[in-house]
Amino acid sequence: MSQHTNHPLAALWVYTLLRIALFGALFGLLWLFGVRGLLGAIIALVLSVPLSFVMLARPRQALVAGVTGQVEARRARTSELDAQLSGRADDQTRPGQDGGTQS
């Protein structure tokens, strides 16, 4: 179970590190071409967004799949708990089981 729980977090780290590496590579290329400082960082950031959308599609899909799996598992646990609680509530509200008399 711990492997399933850690998967979305691991996918998040992989995707984040790849985005940072892409930005760093672009910034390094711009640095080599003489575009340095804040201007180079801004250009690298602007270029890294669409490139990461194309180049990092698989890691992003893995991240989405992991998060979706956790959300679905949590919803299943919640609906199971709701069913258990509603079953107990039905048992308590059956006639003759309230334990008291009405005056």
Side-chain angles (χ1 to χ4, degrees), residues 3-85:
Q3 182 182 7
H4 183 283
T5 305
N6 291 335
H7 183 268
L9 187 59
L12 176 66
W13 277 109
V14 167
Y15 183 69
T16 301
L17 291 174
L18 288 172
R19 291 271 320 248
I20 292 170
L22 181 61
F23 170 80
L26 289 170
F27 187 67
L29 283 173
L30 289 170
W31 187 275
L32 289 175
F33 287 110
V35 183
R36 299 179 178 166
L38 184 61
L39 179 63
I42 292 171
I43 293 172
L45 181 65
V46 169
L47 291 176
S48 69
V49 171
L51 284 175
S52 68
F53 186 75
V54 174
M55 296 176 68
L56 302 179
R58 284 186 185 167
R60 186 176 59 254
Q61 288 173 352
L63 174 61
V64 169
V67 171
T68 302
Q70 276 205 334
V71 168
E72 289 174 359
R74 183 165 293 160
R75 282 185 183 161
R77 288 191 307 265
T78 302
S79 65
E80 181 181 322
L81 181 60
D82 286 343
Q84 289 175 356
L85 290 174

